[in-house]
Amino acid sequence: MALLSPRVPELQRLLEQDFYLAPFEEDLQRRYGVFHRMLKDIEESEGGLDKFTKSYLTFGVNKFVDGGLYCKEWAPGAKAVFLTGDFNNWNPFSHPYKKMDFGKWELFIPAGPDGFPLVPHGSKLKLVIQTQSGELLYRISPWARYVIRESTNINYDWVHWDPPLPYRRRHPIPKKPRSLRIYESHVGIASPEGKVASYKNFTHNVLPKIKDLGYNCVQLMAVMEHAYYASFGYQITSFFAASSRYGPPDDLKELIDVAHSMGITVLLDVVHSHASKNSEDGLNKFDGTDAGFFHSGPRGTHALWDSRLFDYAKWEVLRFLLSNLRWWIEEYNFDGFRFDGVSSMLYHHHGIGEAFSGDYNEYFGMHVDEDALAYLTMANYMIHLLHPECITIAEEVSGMPALCCPVVEGGTGFDYRLAMAVPDKWIQIIKELKDEDWDMGNIVFTLTNRRYGEKYIAYAESHDQALVGDKTLAFRLMDAEMYDNMSVLAPFTPVIDRGIQLHKMIRLITHALGGEGYLNFMGNEFGHPEWLDFPRKGNNDSYHYARRQFNLADDQLLRYRFLNAFDRDMNHLEERFGWLASPPAYISEKHESNKVIAFERANLLFIFNFHPSKSYTDYRMGIEKPGKYKIVLDSDAPEYGGHSRLDHNTEFFTQSFSHNNRPNSLLVYIPSRVALVLQNMDIQN
């Protein structure tokens, strides 16, 4: 009910949390006002938000209980609209739509004499759009639920999807995880074979690996249909269609259902920041005009992505995008979304050429697209109102304040934002600095520099670093030696030894210190040896690099299994102690010359010695809680490819001797290039 006020109901709470926002109170009120007017108009004009965001029940092609079909489209620039397809022998004019108000068109097709729809499941359809000049355009409905491309065709075909026995969910949806451990995944590359892998393959072969590794969330990329495979799913052509290159819709529903049976939450990588420029099988020039769903002219095209940009102020664009989110939740049972390209949406300049410094004036003013901001606010409000267990994550690089604060406080309402500075920092350190020059304070600052009261997903690397033209952490650390020296039968080379030890340490400190959630891209957990490159003209359409070689981690003769085991045990330890859901860590040490970082979180003591050669005997560590401590995770253990320099039976007893502003301390042996986690055995977890 508080949202009925045109003023931000709980803005004072936000201003108390971040007093730097006080000079921008008027901006925050205005932004909320745009959202409020949008919500009020939906309630008054559309019969409520619930009805408005389920417009997929009326738009596109939908079946009535009597077998009749109701067809509806928005094509404001059209002179006439027709439906054609297999059902009428591709007669372009036999089934005309009736013109309605506000650029909408409708058509009712009665059931046949036998009571069955005249358009059967699996038959092909096309919209015929007659432009104002009389030109005929053949288009796919923006609301199409299944599109396929036959091997000889350039464009996709619209296939009417209405199976007589649709997939029925068998398992309950799991509760929202307290600690979010995300396995970022791409179905098509989720196989060692050089081909486009299937939903079925992911269900039967990859989900069990994810469960074993201790991840409780899968983030699926490239599911929304995209004509160009090498776009990594970021040039969407059909927003309501699950990509047919991996299999039919029911196979995706089964994947999500099986994941739920394992207690795994499933997020969709949703792309509402832009759309493909394809017209015959995309949204571009759908009704023959330059505008439609997008801004017209230069404002409607992204200069770097060469794609179309939505006009979020348009009523039918709001209907389309909000209903799209609802569709993926209610039709497929996705548990939420990672919103791609949020920075591009938030600013008229789309972040192009902008180096955000953190000055608050960068976040307010005429350069902010407040219509896009209102759409994102509405999307989060709608998702959390109708599906409170759903999770939303923003991929946002500028640092826009209040992005992950509640809507009633004047925030945008996301649950999490990606800590995008963290992987960049690791790349910069590895590329530019010698090991002895690593700056402990700078590492800690980057991992802890996040907006108070907003939750972050930390990650050492994502799919971005795996792409050709970039390098994964493993490849940066070990490079070409990975091809020759990863066998356990060969002695450690200095490069491989360094790479394996630092790979574990970087991931653990990022996991434990960097945020309130953690993300890993598939294969990176075991140091996948090659980059990711989709088949394209530049590589002779090769699938050699468009795959994930999970078999490497299963091979007992290869050192990849050590990294895989460490990643698994790191996640299972988090599951046990829940540091991601705990308050931020207390950092007791960041010693520059010793290269030691230590902090406490979730009743655990984390110790990192990044020094390339120095080990420390009887190193004093400050600690808050007294008691007996034991090692519960040791990157130097032999099962992780370490050198086994620590005795895990050792008991460390605290002394009432203050150190580093902590009331107690203990003495511990810390070998070089080692990460340790100690548990207070006197505290029940």
Side-chain angles (χ1 to χ4, degrees), residues 254-322:
E254 180 190 37
L255 186 162
I256 295 168
D257 196 20
V258 172
H260 286 164
S261 76
M262 298 177 176
I264 296 173
T265 293
V266 187
L267 304 181
L268 175 68
D269 200 345
V270 72
V271 186
H272 283 181
S273 48
H274 63 130
S276 168
K277 289 182 77 171
N278 287 18
S279 54
E280 289 191 35
D281 54 8
L283 297 184
N284 190 27
K285 299 182 179 178
F286 169 67
D287 61 2
T289 68
D290 180 52
F293 290 91
F294 311 110
H295 291 287
S296 60
R299 189 180 173 190
T301 302
H302 195 289
L304 292 184
W305 297 343
D306 193 32
S307 53
R308 296 305 310 270
L309 296 171
F310 288 105
D311 184 347
Y312 302 101
K314 286 183 178 175
W315 194 254
E316 294 304 321
V317 171
L318 291 174
R319 181 196 306 279
F320 182 76
L321 295 178
L322 291 171

Side-chain angles (χ1 to χ4, degrees), residues 94-242:
S94 65
H95 287 75
Y97 283 68
K98 176 186 173 183
K99 190 171 186 178
M100 305 167 67
D101 293 335
F102 308 111
K104 297 171 193 168
W105 302 79
E106 67 175 353
L107 165 67
F108 178 67
I109 305 176
D114 56 2
F116 287 96
L118 286 183
V119 181
H121 166 66
S123 62
K124 292 182 181 179
L125 295 170
K126 282 279 188 179
L127 290 169
V128 182
I129 308 287
Q130 186 180 38
T131 69
Q132 296 297 330
S133 65
E135 182 185 4
L136 294 182
L137 304 174
Y138 285 80
R139 296 289 191 251
I140 291 175
S141 169
W143 303 78
R145 298 167 186 181
Y146 190 54
V147 296
I148 62 170
R149 181 164 60 189
E150 314 245 328
S151 58
T152 56
N153 292 352
I154 295 174
N155 296 317
Y156 275 76
D157 292 315
W158 173 18
V159 175
H160 181 56
W161 191 261
D162 185 23
L165 294 172
Y167 184 86
R168 299 295 179 194
R169 191 178 79 210
R170 295 170 174 81
H171 305 287
I173 295 173
K175 289 288 186 183
K176 185 189 300 186
R178 286 179 64 250
S179 296
L180 202 58
R181 301 183 298 275
I182 303 171
Y183 198 77
E184 186 184 32
S185 306
H186 186 294
V187 169
I189 65 169
S191 165
E193 300 178 67
K195 64 177 185 180
V196 178
S198 66
Y199 295 123
K200 288 280 190 184
N201 167 73
F202 198 93
T203 301
H204 297 296
N205 296 323
V206 184
L207 283 178
K209 292 180 185 293
I210 295 169
K211 177 67 175 176
D212 177 65
L213 282 167
Y215 292 93
N216 57 15
C217 179
V218 173
Q219 179 181 301
L220 290 180
M221 310 175 65
V223 166
M224 300 168 76
E225 190 60 273
H226 49 293
Y228 185 40
Y229 189 43
S231 76
F232 220 143
Y234 292 122
Q235 296 273 339
I236 307 301
T237 45
S238 290
F239 283 74
F240 284 81

Side-chain angles (χ1 to χ4, degrees), residues 400-418:
M400 171 67 78
L403 198 70
C404 296
C405 292
V407 174
V408 292
E409 294 179 9
T412 314
F414 283 100
D415 293 302
Y416 298 88
R417 63 198 306 166
L418 292 175

